Amino acid sequence: MRAFGGRKIPILIISASAIVLSGAAALIIRGVASHKEFKDTLPIDSVLTSEQALEDFDYIYRTISENHVCFLDGSGLDKAFFEEYNAQRSALAESAGVTITDLWRSAAEMCHVLGDAHTLAAPSRDMYAEDLSVLREGTVVSVDGVPCGELLEDFRSIFSYEPQVDFYADHMFGQVIIRKNYLELLGIDTSDGADYEIQTGSETVTEHYNFVPAAEVRGNESGGEELCGYIVDKENSIGIFTFNECVLNDEYKNALKSFFGEVAENDISAVAVDLRDNGGGNSLVINEFFRYLDVDEYRVFGGTDVRSGSRLKSYSGEFERNRRVKEPFDGELYVLTSNFTFSSAMNFAAAVSDNNIGTVIGETPGNMPAHYGDMLTFQCPNSGLLIKVSYKKFHRIDSAKDEMPLIPDIEVEADKAIEALYETAAKGEG
């Protein structure tokens, strides 16, 4: 199983309360917190009484059923969810003591049936393999003697992902096997660390790693990568704006202003937004970017269903008037994507594609343009497990493609997207 290798997969060391496991790396998720502060989840080897475990499991079911859109949208997912809840609850009820890992596993399997990459259960924190330098450069073959193929098969049964783009689970598996809690969830005993069998070139080596807090991880050079950055290639008349997380802040706004200032100053004819390492965030970054484009109006979504209590309110995808800058860019626009491109980053690419503003180059992103999302966050009373639940459903701008993933205009492997960009721009295509 290829977990790392080729174009370096970003290994994000962040709080599990911001983790999708969905992901993100992507594991990064966007959403609204239902509580302002959360306590730490109990150590996952802690044992709950049967009564405590069932109280938490009922809380998880009730919280999701009272907030998720699927319980009101006629999709039928609510019935599948209820059936899984009954099956998992019966199994938990037969145990005199339930570990946090057992409870988490039951909750993960229940959330999995929704096919929603944004609804999940997870501990509030995790620990990581102490040194990523060799892991980054090789392919992990096994962990503690268990082949990665077996671990992946198990992971796919508990991971929250959208079945139409199931490759996202395979992709995110590479993020999971460096994390202590998730390895425990997959049945690996990490009490004395773990042995990683790693193929590097023609050699296979075995490295033993203990698990440490994020700040103590070695070889995580990209963990502190900047939010965004850019290059302006005057010779080839191409500007590339690299955006690693959808955060609408002064750093992003100032970078955009500086980037497009240099683009105008050097009469650059083609601009690309690199979202290959972007796991999502705030979708308002799309509106801010579009201000620099010579576009009169656009849509970010084709419509949104929003749940509030027992009511589901549907909003049409209205066109938004572009509050563009004084001298917007009017050249060719490209967006670079990978299987890792997720949530708001995927929405960014879809908005460019479905509004016919530019050309998408790379791989199909890790979730659907029509998807559940925007999360409320809750915490179980006994275990402290966090629960993230989607309360919105977004529809694709191009309604004829509502059931389709975002397929790039030019499909290439993510690590070849820059090369394809230069070839396409040189031909004046887009």
Side-chain angles (χ1 to χ4, degrees):
M1 170 59 204
R2 187 178 183 82
F4 302 92
R7 189 177 66 90
K8 290 184 181 179
I9 297 173
I11 301 176
L12 301 190
I13 305 297
I14 54 180
S15 166
S17 63
I19 289 201
V20 188
L21 240 197
S22 189
L27 296 174
I28 297 176
I29 53 182
R30 61 195 172 112
V32 180
S34 303
H35 304 292
K36 293 182 179 179
E37 296 182 1
F38 299 102
K39 63 183 181 181
D40 288 339
T41 302
L42 293 177
I44 63 172
D45 58 355
S46 301
V47 179
L48 302 175
T49 65
S50 179
E51 292 76 13
Q52 289 174 320
L54 291 177
E55 181 184 5
D56 274 15
F57 196 67
D58 290 344
Y59 176 82
I60 295 169
Y61 174 79
R62 185 172 63 253
T63 296
I64 294 175
S65 64
E66 290 176 353
N67 292 280
H68 200 285
V69 182
C70 78
F71 282 77
L72 298 178
D73 68 3
S75 64
L77 289 170
D78 56 326
K79 297 179 181 178
F81 189 72
F82 180 67
E83 291 175 359
E84 187 66 22
Y85 160 71
N86 281 331
Q88 295 291 340
R89 193 183 194 282
S90 296
L92 288 173
E94 294 177 358
S95 301
V98 179
T99 66
I100 306 299
T101 305
D102 294 334
L103 176 63
W104 178 19
R105 173 101 191 185
S106 293
E109 291 184 8
M110 182 171 65
C111 291
H112 169 80
V113 304
L114 294 177
D116 172 12
H118 289 84
T119 295
L120 64 140
S124 62
R125 58 181 178 178
D126 210 337
M127 299 180 77
Y128 306 83
E130 62 187 334
D131 192 340
L132 303 182
S133 55
V134 179
L135 288 170
R136 282 186 176 280
E137 301 302 328
T139 298
V140 180
V141 177
S142 68
V143 181
D144 266 7
V146 182
C148 281
E150 292 182 18
L151 293 174
L152 173 61
E153 184 178 358
D154 188 26
F155 177 63
R156 287 172 63 94
S157 72
I158 58 176
F159 181 60
S160 290
Y161 61 93
E162 296 164 14
Q164 302 93 328
V165 285
D166 59 357
F167 57 80
Y168 185 66
D170 298 22
H171 183 79
M172 293 313 301
F173 178 71
Q175 300 283 333
V176 167
I177 57 175
I178 67 168
R179 303 177 58 183
K180 177 179 173 64
N181 284 348
Y182 284 97
L183 284 176
E184 290 281 353
L185 189 64
L186 295 174
I188 301 296
D189 180 0
T190 63
S191 58
D192 61 348
D195 292 327
Y196 286 79
E197 186 181 3
I198 308 164
Q199 183 176 342
T200 56
S202 60
E203 298 182 349
T204 300
V205 298
T206 298
E207 299 284 344
H208 180 84
Y209 298 119
N210 293 315
F211 293 90
V212 298
E216 298 176 22
V217 174
R218 303 189 300 275
N220 189 41
E221 290 79 7
S222 70
E225 65 185 1
E226 59 186 357
L227 173 69
C228 51
Y230 66 84
I231 62 170
V232 175
D233 183 346
K234 301 175 186 178
E235 181 180 351
N236 292 286
S237 196
I238 294 177
I240 302 176
F241 187 88
T242 301
F243 197 21
N244 295 314
E245 182 181 351
C246 294
V247 177
L248 184 64
N249 59 9
D250 288 342
E251 179 183 352
Y252 174 60
K253 293 178 181 179
N254 291 337
L256 280 182
K257 184 177 181 180
S258 178
F259 173 64
F260 279 104
E262 291 192 34
V263 165
E265 180 182 343
N266 293 283
D267 196 24
I268 299 299
S269 60
V271 160
V273 186
D274 189 348
L275 301 174
R276 291 176 296 168
D277 291 342
N278 194 316
N282 188 339
S283 62
L284 290 177
V285 299
I286 303 170
N287 307 71
E288 184 66 21
F289 189 94
F290 281 14
R291 290 182 60 238
Y292 290 88
L293 305 180
D294 192 16
V295 175
D296 293 328
E297 59 181 13
Y298 59 88
R299 290 190 293 172
V300 175
F301 302 107
T304 309
D305 301 325
V306 181
R307 180 171 181 179
S308 178
S310 61
R311 299 179 59 187
L312 188 65
K313 178 70 174 179
S314 296
Y315 299 88
S316 60
E318 300 291 341
F319 279 95
E320 299 186 34
R321 183 171 66 87
N322 191 16
R323 300 181 180 276
R324 54 191 161 191
V325 298
K326 186 176 181 180
E327 297 181 359
F329 174 74
D330 63 355
E332 296 292 340
L333 175 66
Y334 302 91
V335 178
L336 311 184
T337 59
S338 74
N339 293 156
F340 177 77
T341 306
F342 187 84
S343 197
S344 290
M346 177 280 303
N347 290 329
F348 194 124
V352 169
S353 179
D354 285 3
N355 284 290
N356 297 311
I357 294 173
T359 301
V360 179
I361 300 174
E363 299 170 338
T364 297
N367 71 306
M368 298 281 285
H371 66 280
Y372 295 117
D374 271 7
M375 291 150 295
L376 300 171
T377 304
F378 304 86
Q379 188 164 40
C380 292
N382 299 311
S383 64
L385 284 174
L386 296 181
I387 310 302
K388 294 182 179 293
V389 52
S390 300
Y391 73 102
K392 293 182 182 179
K393 183 176 183 178
F394 300 98
H395 296 278
R396 187 165 181 172
I397 299 166
D398 185 344
S399 60
K401 298 179 179 178
D402 208 41
E403 302 299 320
M404 297 175 58
L406 176 60
I407 300 174
D409 301 291
I410 300 173
E411 293 187 82
V412 296
E413 294 179 6
D415 59 353
K416 298 179 180 178
I418 294 292
E419 179 182 346
L421 165 66
Y422 272 81
E423 292 175 354
T424 304
K427 298 175 183 177
E429 299 176 351

